[in-house]
Amino acid sequence: MAKYDHKQIESKWQDIWETTRQNNTDLDAKAEKFYNLVMFPYPSGEYLHIGHGYSYSGADVYGRYMRVNGKNVFEPIGFDSFGLPAENYAIKKGVHPAVSTADNIVHATAQLKSFGCMFDFDKMVTTSSPDYYRWTQWIFLKLYERGLAYQKESPVNWCPKCVTVLANEQVIDGICERCETEVVQKNMKQWFFKITDYADRLDTDLDKVDWPNSSKLKQRNWIGKSTGVEFELEVVGVSEKISVFTTRIDTVFGMSYVVLAPEHALAKQLGEKSKEIAEYLQDTKSKSDLERQEGKEKTGVPAGVYAINPFNREKVPVWIADYVIGSYGTGAVMAVPAHDERDFEFANKFNLSVKEVIAPYFLDPVNKPKPEVETEKREVACMIVRNPKTGKYLCLKWKKAEWQSFPTGGLDEQTPEEAGRRELLEETGYKNLKFVEQLPWSCYAEFYRPHKKSNVVAHFHYVLFDLVNEETDGVEQSEKDTHEVVWIEKDGIAEYLNVWNQSYTWDRLTNRSKIHTEKGILVDSGEFSGLTSEEAKAKMAKWLEKKGIGSSKVNYRLRDWSFSRQRYWGAPIPVVYCQECGTVPVPEQDLPVLLPELSIDQVRPTGTGKGPLAGVPDFVNAKCPKCGGNAERETDTMDTFVCSSFYFLRYPNVGDDTEMFNPEITKKWLPVDMYVGGPEHVTMHLLYSRFVTKALYDSGIIGFDEPFMKLRHQGMILGPDGKKMSKSKGNVIVPNDIISKVGADAFRTYILFMGRFEDGGPWNPQGLTGVTKLLERVWKLSESQLLEDPENILVERLLNKSIKKVGEDIEAFRFNTAVPQLMILVNELVQQKQISKVTLEKLVVIMAPFAPYIAEEVWANLGNKNSVHVQPWPEYDVSLIQDEMVSIAVQVNGKVRDTLLVSADASEDEVIEVAKESAKVAIYTSGKKVEKMIYVKGKILSIVTE
RNA sequence: GCCCGGGUGGUGGAAUGGUAUACACGAAGGACUUAAAAUCCUUUGAUCUCACGAUCUUGCGGGUUCGAGUCCCGCCCCGGGCACCA
């Protein structure tokens, strides 16, 4: 009997599959196409790590499953080999990046082959090779043609260590994503792609794709769509007006000042006249983004001018402060400290007024308004009365409703103070009260009043009193019948009150730094008072439009994509600067603009703000394509994310030197059907790819505007120490050792078995044994004497169930539950004295996506000529999915007391009969009246007794 | 602070509102063996009990339900994303 020798099997089938071209997809085949894509690796280190193996294993199991379900699956792979990390690695090793990249690709390719994935190695792309990056440059030209690539002098993220500009997306908390150096702001002329033109479509089109919800949300947050209004304020004595953007126009009557960002034109203008302002502008300019983030202490200076609130003609001071971002909206905001945390903080620091214009609204969930009775509107005073002698507060316990509250009473044309005194006298008899204050906020509450049998929308005003003495005038019996007067300790109030608006007010009273930032009902807002925030937003926008000073507006947080890099290892930007013609793109037929071959010393970044190419006269000096005169080449290169933003379009066209895409092939094969990769790319690669796809769609080059129809993420495999793998921590696990020890089949199956695919987790080889046992058992089964006929009905049922479950689980990326099903099946088969050939064949087919090598070997050993990987997924027999006998739990009052084995199609009555005979059940039911019996077919019988 | 995930045995982890802890690892005991490895069998959430069995248990506290890991409300903790975006 032969031993299971994974090494021998793996090398044997790798060769055979290569010869038979099993995994080289015939792109012209008639069968329905399935483009199964994994994020291509970045060969910045010597080897791919275990996380790559994880991602590819999952994607490959899925791809293989699609193939045996009749799809013509295309599963390409390549290398994202341009860019900073590859260059940094090369420089560290003292090797030219072209050399180190080529070396790394050799290692990585060998690894990729060992994984046993059905990659089509004939269609590889390497983004750093000229026959690829000519198309990167071509994409640039296409975007440039549409006005989507432009140059702009602006503050950009500069990494002093990588000595280059970075995109916003590559700066994490003010730190360079790659080298973890603090990023500084530098004013430089840089290239940008106008991704902001697509902000809205990038947001709404997410509805078209099947992506994890969390990823859609992440992208939406990054795009940061925000709907509001933009309107103008006149400035007293200045001809310029200030435009502000706000999402809360409903709070406009609470505006107590206006803030300009230091970058605002008016701020600069005012700075010319005032030394104080000029100094402030200078101060904020020198702060790095990180400093601006860290020191969140608000700073600012008065601008010395006043703006006019168009709604109430009130004069409000203008301030200049760096808590307003110059590049967002209009760079100026209206400040409403009563309803915005930041404005509140600023107002507190600089002693600016705070005016409440939004009252919280409460719908009483206990005493809900009744639709059949009338609703009355009332202005109400709510009295908070303290007895200074005892420190207790006056509360009422209601007799006809479940209320425990402070006393309240209608205003009836009186002030809250007057109404409060009157009402307290009536309800409690207390007559000597000292008015303390009226709280600066009010609340609306809508509820049903059982004692008056009506609904009410009450607008509560809160008045504080101190009790001077306990003298009373007595209380009428009718008042005594409705409520009882109680005095409650200060600490007990929060618990005692059960009326929401009062609980809210008490909470705010004891914690005065709180403000109301939610929606509510407008107060003190002129003609808009009484409206809800939503109603007011619509009406106020109309009001502004009618006056011609404002309108609805949408803003996005997304910024344009800065893609020029002052580094060597990237695709040169195909542009020349001509003294006569200005900026001229290199014509398509002249592509690629080749990266000059330099010595390692010339490759090193310069730190001058220009890339190393600027020091290569042969490269720089060029002829203008337009006029033929002398011109200079652009010396910046493109960020690697440009290379990866379209590689999926190129894969099916690899080998075609005449055009980027063959329209026929592209139409047939794109968009990508399934894309697997890490969630860390959601706001970078995935966003950029969607943008480029949409731009090409708008150019009429391609006929689809979303590149990835389905997306699934693998989680991150951490080091054995539970920390993110990194060379410096020395916890990097390379799959090679594992594969050579236990084989690719065991590696793939185990890593997918470890946990949910999207979860990842620390690498722990302990459990590998379980999977190697599984494979060895299958091997042993294949070496045993096989039956010709199916063994028995029980085995058949389990087999059919397994076919169903494994298939469904793969389809849903639930690999970690598919593998256990295979284990259950194999364990059962091992228990059988003998198994049949048919059963073994079916087993091998359904485990083949996980363990392609052993499956193929066993399949061949069974005498099959064709590959197991093109065997159709077995059909399962629906009638064999359901067990004949099922075990039913019998619960008495919620506790399982017995389990019964009954026929699966047993009726409720039959099950009840059997349950009645159970002695265990009888212990809990005898002598008691059965009130209810609930039967869930095949699952449970629930008996409820008195 | 805001927005997403998540919290289940010693460990990785299962579980359309219906028998929580599948499957695997580890551990303990046993068989085979001169011995070990491999393999196979048994046990393995906790507590009480000689035992039959009982009680408790899915981060904490409430609620809905015949029945809650799962649904609702309020907290705590961990991971990720965004962060002065008006």
Side-chain angles (χ1 to χ4, degrees):
Chain A
M1 196 156 89
K3 228 183 134 241
Y4 168 50
D5 179 352
H6 63 84
K7 278 196 178 159
Q8 184 260 323
I9 294 174
E10 280 170 29
S11 70
K12 168 180 165 190
W13 287 105
Q14 261 177 46
D15 289 349
I16 295 179
W17 292 336
E18 218 165 312
T19 324
T20 59
R21 299 182 51 79
Q22 165 144 284
N23 299 325
N24 300 105
T25 308
D26 174 4
L27 297 178
D28 299 323
K30 288 229 166 54
E32 193 188 340
K33 69 101 181 180
F34 193 90
Y35 193 162
N36 192 50
L37 186 66
V38 292
M39 289 185 187
F40 62 169
Y42 198 114
S44 67
E46 210 167 335
Y47 291 103
L48 303 178
H49 60 72
I50 203 163
H52 293 105
Y54 187 41
S55 175
Y56 306 152
S57 298
D60 188 62
V61 168
Y62 187 82
R64 287 180 180 276
Y65 180 71
M66 285 296 139
R67 185 161 71 180
V68 296
N69 275 284
K71 302 270 168 63
N72 184 25
V73 179
F74 179 44
E75 191 173 296
I77 191 78
F79 296 101
D80 188 12
S81 45
F82 254 154
L84 257 157
E87 186 179 333
N88 286 346
Y89 172 83
I91 289 170
K92 207 169 136 195
K93 290 248 155 178
V95 195
H96 192 282
V99 175
S100 69
T101 301
D103 276 0
N104 293 344
I105 286 176
V106 169
H107 294 138
T109 305
Q111 283 182 293
L112 286 172
K113 291 195 171 164
S114 76
F115 291 153
C117 295
M118 50 180 287
F119 291 131
D120 185 342
F121 287 100
D122 280 1
K123 297 284 186 191
M124 289 185 92
V125 299
T126 303
T127 58
S128 58
S129 83
D131 57 17
Y132 183 87
Y133 70 71
R134 71 184 273 202
W135 302 116
T136 313
Q137 293 170 340
W138 184 85
I139 292 276
F140 169 88
L141 294 182
K142 293 294 138 190
L143 295 182
Y144 186 82
E145 275 169 24
R146 294 193 66 77
L148 292 171
Y150 68 96
Q151 272 179 302
K152 179 175 78 173
E153 169 107 14
S154 81
V156 287
N157 308 301
W158 175 264
C159 173
K161 193 168 171 200
C162 298
V163 290
T164 182
V165 164
L166 300 173
N168 285 342
E169 289 78 4
Q170 290 167 316
V171 182
I172 316 287
D173 296 330
I175 302 280
C176 170
E177 182 216 8
R178 288 296 176 174
C179 72
E180 300 185 1
T181 306
E182 186 181 328
V183 170
V184 297
Q185 297 300 299
K186 223 175 171 179
N187 231 8
M188 287 172 75
K189 196 172 187 186
Q190 290 296 309
W191 281 95
F192 292 87
F193 285 134
K194 223 172 187 174
I195 191 170
T196 51
D197 270 12
Y198 287 77
D200 197 54
R201 282 162 71 189
L202 288 168
D203 180 298
T204 54
D205 286 354
L206 283 171
D207 290 337
K208 290 187 190 171
V209 294
D210 174 4
W211 285 22
N213 239 329
S214 58
S215 303
K216 289 188 181 185
L217 263 163
K218 248 188 237 174
Q219 238 181 43
R220 286 207 158 105
N221 286 341
W222 186 259
I223 296 165
K225 182 175 181 170
S226 132
T227 312
V229 298
E230 195 175 303
F231 68 96
E232 286 176 346
L233 296 103
E234 292 167 33
V235 185
V236 181
V238 180
S239 58
E240 277 92 349
K241 291 180 176 161
I242 299 174
S243 269
V244 295
F245 171 73
T246 180
T247 55
R248 289 298 303 273
I249 190 66
D250 56 312
T251 65
V252 72
F253 280 82
M255 183 196 314
S256 47
Y257 60 102
V258 166
V259 193
L260 305 177
E263 297 88 349
H264 196 277
L266 183 59
K268 283 183 186 160
Q269 196 184 313
L270 293 165
E272 285 163 18
K273 283 179 257 168
S274 151
K275 204 180 149 205
E276 197 196 354
I277 294 174
E279 272 172 15
Y280 182 71
L281 298 186
Q282 195 50 47
D283 271 7
T284 52
K285 211 175 176 182
S286 62
K287 271 196 220 171
S288 76
D289 253 18
L290 200 67
E291 281 170 327
R292 240 168 121 158
Q293 268 171 32
E294 268 173 1
K296 281 207 176 157
E297 175 80 14
K298 301 259 183 305
T299 60
V301 287
V305 293
Y306 289 82
I308 294 171
N309 182 343
F311 282 86
N312 56 12
R313 305 305 298 171
E314 229 172 70
K315 246 171 76 176
V316 296
V318 177
W319 283 69
I320 298 165
D322 72 348
Y323 80 92
V324 170
I325 312 272
S327 53
Y328 182 77
T330 61
V333 302
M334 67 174 207
V336 184
H339 305 294
D340 183 281
E341 297 281 357
R342 298 151 301 181
D343 298 342
F344 184 68
E345 199 189 315
F346 191 81
N348 267 348
K349 184 163 172 187
F350 294 104
N351 252 323
L352 296 154
S353 66
V354 179
K355 184 183 162 199
E356 303 255 344
V357 291
I358 303 291
Y361 166 86
F362 299 95
L363 183 71
D364 190 324
V366 182
N367 298 288
K368 276 187 199 136
K370 297 195 172 179
E372 67 275 13
V373 299
E374 286 198 9
T375 301
E376 197 188 329
K377 284 192 179 168
R378 297 189 75 203
E379 294 292 316
V380 182
C382 170
M383 288 70 77
I384 302 175
V385 181
R386 185 174 66 120
N387 184 342
K389 281 185 206 146
T390 60
K392 291 186 180 178
Y393 285 79
L394 176 60
C395 293
L396 298 180
K397 190 172 170 64
W398 292 68
K399 293 180 176 167
K400 290 179 183 166
E402 308 230 322
W403 289 329
Q404 301 181 148
S405 71
F406 294 128
T408 58
L411 290 190
D412 299 333
E413 313 281 312
Q414 291 175 305
T415 65
E417 183 192 346
E418 291 161 353
R421 287 184 187 278
R422 188 204 68 224
E423 197 69 31
L424 286 168
L425 189 65
E426 258 173 49
E427 293 190 343
T428 69
Y430 294 116
K431 55 184 187 182
N432 294 316
L433 298 154
K434 188 178 134 225
F435 173 74
V436 180
E437 67 169 315
Q438 181 180 343
L439 296 178
W441 67 86
S442 59
C443 291
Y444 276 84
E446 191 169 355
F447 53 93
Y448 175 72
R449 291 187 297 181
H451 58 296
K452 298 207 170 149
K453 295 208 165 47
S454 69
N455 295 330
V456 63
V457 177
H459 183 198
F460 287 95
H461 306 268
Y462 305 92
V463 204
L464 265 56
F465 289 103
D466 271 354
L467 192 66
V468 177
N469 60 41
E470 288 164 15
E471 208 176 301
T472 75
D473 273 358
V475 181
E476 282 190 25
Q477 191 56 42
S478 64
E479 293 289 346
K480 285 186 182 165
D481 288 344
T482 42
H483 38 60
E484 178 190 334
V485 171
V486 286
W487 287 91
I488 303 288
E489 298 274 358
K490 190 181 181 190
D491 288 347
I493 297 279
E495 207 183 323
Y496 186 77
L497 295 175
N498 66 1
V499 178
W500 284 31
N501 77 82
Q502 295 190 3
S503 298
Y504 169 83
T505 285
W506 179 255
D507 187 43
R508 251 187 98 167
L509 184 60
T510 48
N511 184 3
R512 279 245 167 146
S513 64
K514 276 190 186 162
I515 56 164
H516 180 72
T517 56
E518 321 266 287
K519 292 169 196 166
I521 309 280
L522 274 72
V523 296
D524 291 332
S525 296
E527 56 183 291
F528 303 96
S529 294
L531 298 177
T532 65
S533 289
E534 289 311 314
E535 290 162 352
K537 279 183 188 176
K539 283 205 170 164
M540 287 172 154
K542 272 204 188 123
W543 188 92
L544 284 166
E545 242 166 76
K546 215 169 144 192
K547 293 249 165 186
I549 52 170
S551 60
S552 295
K553 169 101 203 223
V554 178
N555 268 314
Y556 301 91
R557 220 184 56 97
L558 185 70
R559 302 295 147 86
D560 277 340
W561 170 15
S562 125
F563 69 90
S564 46
R565 299 289 177 267
Q566 293 68 50
R567 295 291 291 249
Y568 170 75
W569 195 235
I573 297 172
V575 154
V576 299
Y577 303 104
C578 168
Q579 281 168 355
E580 294 298 316
C581 316
T583 304
V584 181
V586 174
E588 263 179 53
Q589 63 271 16
D590 294 347
L591 298 183
V593 175
L594 283 172
L595 201 54
E597 285 180 27
L598 302 183
S599 74
I600 172 69
D601 289 325
Q602 288 173 295
V603 162
R604 289 205 169 84
T606 62
T608 59
K610 289 213 166 210
L613 294 182
V616 187
D618 281 355
F619 178 81
V620 175
N621 298 325
K623 292 284 173 227
C624 171
K626 240 187 199 168
C627 69
N630 284 337
E632 292 192 348
R633 255 182 225 292
E634 167 65 62
T635 55
D636 281 0
T637 54
M638 286 189 258
D639 181 32
T640 175
F641 280 113
V642 182
C643 310
S644 58
S645 65
F646 70 98
Y647 75 111
F648 47 91
L649 294 170
R650 186 60 188 159
Y651 272 139
N653 294 287
V654 164
D656 185 346
D657 290 335
T658 59
E659 55 191 343
M660 164 91 192
F661 326 108
N662 175 295
E664 291 289 298
I665 288 193
T666 305
K667 191 173 176 218
K668 176 170 179 189
W669 278 94
L670 281 131
V672 169
D673 297 288
M674 172 61 84
Y675 197 21
V676 174
E680 66 276 15
H681 288 108
V682 166
T683 54
M684 296 195 259
H685 161 63
L686 289 166
L687 191 67
Y688 297 147
S689 301
R690 293 183 62 221
F691 159 65
V692 168
T693 301
K694 285 178 191 302
L696 294 177
Y697 171 80
D698 288 351
S699 297
I701 296 170
I702 52 178
F704 54 94
D705 67 348
E706 278 297 331
F708 315 122
M709 298 320 286
K710 278 192 183 194
L711 172 72
R712 295 294 179 266
H713 298 302
Q714 83 277 2
M716 193 187 291
I717 300 289
L718 306 169
D721 53 1
K723 297 199 175 104
K724 194 173 164 175
M725 284 190 211
S726 81
K727 275 202 197 107
S728 56
K729 289 194 206 103
N731 61 353
V732 177
I733 305 284
V734 170
N736 301 37
D737 304 341
I738 304 157
I739 289 179
S740 78
K741 203 163 153 195
V742 298
D745 287 339
F747 169 70
R748 291 164 58 110
T749 310
Y750 176 61
I751 204 158
L752 293 173
F753 169 69
M754 272 193 349
R756 274 200 300 238
F757 189 60
E758 60 276 19
D759 282 359
W763 169 251
N764 177 2
Q766 252 193 7
L768 255 172
T769 324
V771 169
T772 52
K773 267 188 205 164
L774 170 77
L775 300 181
E776 267 169 23
R777 283 173 185 174
V778 172
W779 183 257
K780 254 192 193 161
L781 284 173
S782 78
E783 297 276 299
S784 68
Q785 191 66 45
L786 297 172
L787 296 168
E788 278 309 310
D789 301 316
E791 37 292 279
N792 64 56
I793 188 80
L794 288 174
V795 171
E796 264 189 86
R797 282 187 203 280
L798 182 59
L799 178 67
N800 277 273
K801 272 195 230 172
S802 303
I803 293 168
K804 178 169 190 275
K805 176 148 179 70
V806 172
E808 288 172 353
D809 282 352
I810 293 175
E811 203 150 354
F813 271 68
R814 287 190 304 252
F815 310 117
N816 61 321
T817 52
V819 176
Q821 187 63 38
L822 291 171
M823 288 172 168
I824 292 168
L825 174 62
V826 170
N827 289 349
E828 180 57 37
L829 294 181
V830 169
Q831 292 302 311
Q832 299 296 317
K833 291 270 173 310
Q834 265 187 302
I835 65 159
S836 69
K837 189 178 167 197
V838 210
T839 299
L840 182 61
E841 282 184 339
K842 284 184 179 167
L843 164 67
V844 164
V845 173
I846 65 170
M847 69 183 286
F850 290 92
Y853 293 110
I854 191 174
E856 190 78 304
E857 177 74 8
V858 169
W859 181 255
N861 288 348
L862 288 170
N864 293 292
K865 292 281 174 279
N866 51 4
S867 168
V868 70
H869 299 298
V870 295
Q871 285 310 302
W873 191 259
E875 303 261 340
Y876 59 84
D877 183 340
V878 180
S879 68
L880 290 173
I881 295 302
Q882 180 65 52
D883 282 323
E884 217 166 356
M885 300 296 279
V886 289
S887 105
I888 304 272
V890 184
Q891 282 187 350
V892 183
N893 296 331
K895 288 206 165 131
V896 178
R897 296 302 180 182
D898 199 4
T899 54
L900 313 172
L901 201 61
V902 300
S903 142
D905 50 10
S907 70
E908 178 166 356
D909 290 344
E910 285 169 317
V911 173
I912 290 172
E913 275 313 304
V914 183
K916 274 185 183 163
E917 285 161 24
S918 160
K920 288 178 187 167
V921 172
I923 296 170
Y924 299 93
T925 54
S926 67
K928 288 186 181 147
K929 200 179 131 209
V930 173
E931 286 187 339
K932 220 191 225 183
M933 279 206 268
I934 296 144
Y935 176 61
V936 182
K937 198 164 189 292
K939 295 266 161 88
I940 205 160
L941 176 70
S942 184
I943 301 171
V944 187
T945 69
E946 55 180 342

